[in-house]
């Protein structure tokens, strides 16, 4: 019971920080995505490919959440985009205080799109609102077609699902239709893009949809 | 501070349950593995392939941890092995109380090996001792060669690392040597097997090592 009570207090405190961020983002006219997936589903590759294609079209910045290392922030910075690294030092998700610290190091002025790359974890990040306009789930086909039914919370909450690594479909046992059907049942409004960051397949559609969404 | 304090209390309570399980397992002569990985790295496939090969050689049982569904327990039961499903209902890791409940439904008498398949999560399960003799990490090469350095806790703690899905190496950018080197730095005593549950490569070595370990 104590655990549940404290958990509730933590989530409530997080929520009021998230609400504050959301007002701040709206006031500055910046749209915010919270990118969530398992470790290794391809969040950073999605970021690289997306930022490259948005270059010169939208002004973007990134907050990188990792337990350790700043490799991802370096990969993003190589795309010419401001990137702030949060090292969570063992914590399994980003939360309000971490975002608050990152925002101190980030100039929102003139920004169109801020993408927050969460820690690789299909479970815990879903519970912590970061003030984003939308959660984007990345699922790689190599994880298996049973993942949306086994970890439904993210796939229910995400406004967009990027099904990544579809170039590997010929070499694995994964029923893409099952992923689509389960996710449609969990969230019929969800926008789904099948993509490959390796071959580029599907990225044009995703990025053009994203650009329209940011401008809307 | 309250969060840290309560976190510490939870971990301490968990530890004393784990110590009790460990004494119980030792008294009954059953060896226990705690299988940990990202979602979709192939824990259940590893289980299926391992149990199939141990059939008639060791008496095995499985505790299956999933957030939702009992698909994995069904897959394990199809191998002719007793399987108890824990549905964590949103919790991101198994803990002492869940194992305690599962043990009530499981007959340890005459058992050689109990394998606990944790929730798919590279982070949180590492902190919760379940009374196991050894943690086994499963990492699929499709997750990328940077994962051990980005999520070091598991790769430091695991006595065995199974690098899975090596049949996909020709189709992806993954430096297997980097995985080996990082893990060796994190834990020089770690036993590493490169395997493919799809082609069977490496499984014989792993299973024969495991059988010897159980009998030792």
């Amino acid at each position: 019971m104590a655990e549940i009570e404290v958990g509730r207090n933590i989530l409530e405190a997080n929520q009021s920080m998230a609400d504050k961020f959301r007002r701040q983002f709206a006031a500055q006219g910046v749209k915010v995505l919270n990118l969530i997936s398992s470790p290794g589903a391809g969040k950073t590759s999605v970021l690289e490919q997306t930022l490259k294609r948005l270059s010169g079209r939208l002004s973007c910045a990134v907050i990188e959440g990792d337990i350790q290392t700043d490799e991802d922030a370096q990969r993003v910075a190589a795309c010419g985009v401001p990137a702030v690294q949060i090292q969570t030092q063992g914590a399994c998700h980003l939360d309000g205080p971490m975002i608050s610290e990152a925002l101190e190091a980030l100039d929102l002025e003139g920004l169109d799109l801020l993408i927050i790359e969460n820690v690789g974890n299909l479970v815990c990040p879903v519970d912590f609102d970061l003030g984003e306009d939308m959660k984007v789930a990345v699922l790689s086909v190599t994880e298996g077609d049973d993942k949306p039914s086994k970890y439904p919370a993210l796939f229910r909450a995400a406004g967009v699902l990027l099904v990544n690594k579809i170039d590997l479909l010929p070499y694995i046992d994964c029923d893409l239709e099952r992923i689509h059907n389960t996710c449609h049942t969990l969230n019929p409004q969800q926008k789904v893009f099948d993509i490959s960051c390796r071959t580029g397949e599907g990225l044009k559609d995703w990025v053009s949809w994203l650009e329209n969404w940011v401008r809307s």
Side-chain angles (χ1 to χ4, degrees), chain A:
Chain A
M1 276 320 273
E3 184 176 356
I4 293 168
E5 197 53 47
V6 171
R8 197 179 294 139
N9 290 343
I10 290 169
L11 284 176
E12 275 170 13
N14 188 79
Q15 191 59 54
S16 73
M17 292 190 80
D19 294 342
K20 202 189 86 189
F21 299 148
R22 190 166 280 116
R23 286 191 297 271
Q24 188 182 346
F25 295 146
Q28 304 246 18
V30 52
K31 291 280 183 82
V32 181
L33 298 180
N34 184 355
L35 200 57
I36 303 178
S37 80
S38 298
K43 288 186 298 306
T44 314
S45 298
V46 164
L47 257 179
E48 288 174 316
Q49 296 299 328
T50 303
L51 295 171
K52 219 184 284 177
R53 283 165 174 79
L54 287 175
S55 171
R57 308 188 58 85
L58 293 178
S59 168
C60 302
V62 168
I63 295 176
E64 271 298 335
D66 277 299
I67 291 184
Q68 289 205 357
T69 84
D70 63 350
E71 282 181 53
D72 287 355
Q74 288 178 31
R75 284 172 62 184
V76 167
C79 302
V81 165
V84 177
Q85 177 80 49
I86 301 173
Q87 286 186 25
T88 69
Q89 306 295 353
C92 55
H93 60 271
L94 295 180
D95 62 13
M98 296 178 199
I99 297 299
S100 179
E101 210 180 307
L103 289 177
E104 282 174 31
L106 204 61
D107 188 6
L108 295 180
E109 185 69 38
L111 214 58
D112 299 308
L113 175 64
L114 171 63
I115 307 182
I116 303 171
E117 180 179 344
N118 222 306
V119 175
N121 185 330
L122 268 192
V123 191
C124 318
V126 188
D127 289 334
F128 288 79
D129 187 354
L130 305 177
E132 71 271 1
D133 295 289
M134 188 166 65
K135 288 177 177 47
V136 174
V138 183
L139 174 70
S140 64
V141 292
T142 52
E143 293 170 70
D145 48 40
D146 55 349
K147 293 304 161 297
S149 53
K150 290 172 74 177
Y151 301 83
L154 172 62
F155 299 95
R156 194 177 286 124
V160 166
L161 167 65
L162 302 176
V163 185
N164 193 20
K165 307 193 190 181
I166 55 168
D167 55 296
L168 294 175
L169 281 170
Y171 313 112
I172 60 174
D173 302 310
C174 173
D175 180 353
L176 192 57
E177 277 306 294
R178 185 181 173 199
I179 293 176
H180 291 167
N181 291 338
T182 310
C183 289
H184 184 75
T185 305
L186 290 168
N187 180 352
Q189 271 75 51
Q190 192 168 67
K191 190 81 192 151
V192 180
F193 298 92
D194 299 333
I195 64 169
S196 164
C197 290
R198 204 159 192 252
T199 66
E201 201 179 336
L203 288 172
K204 206 179 142 195
D205 285 350
W206 147 243
V207 175
S208 115
W209 183 90
L210 175 62
E211 188 178 348
N212 284 334
W213 175 80
V214 172
R215 296 192 190 283
S216 70

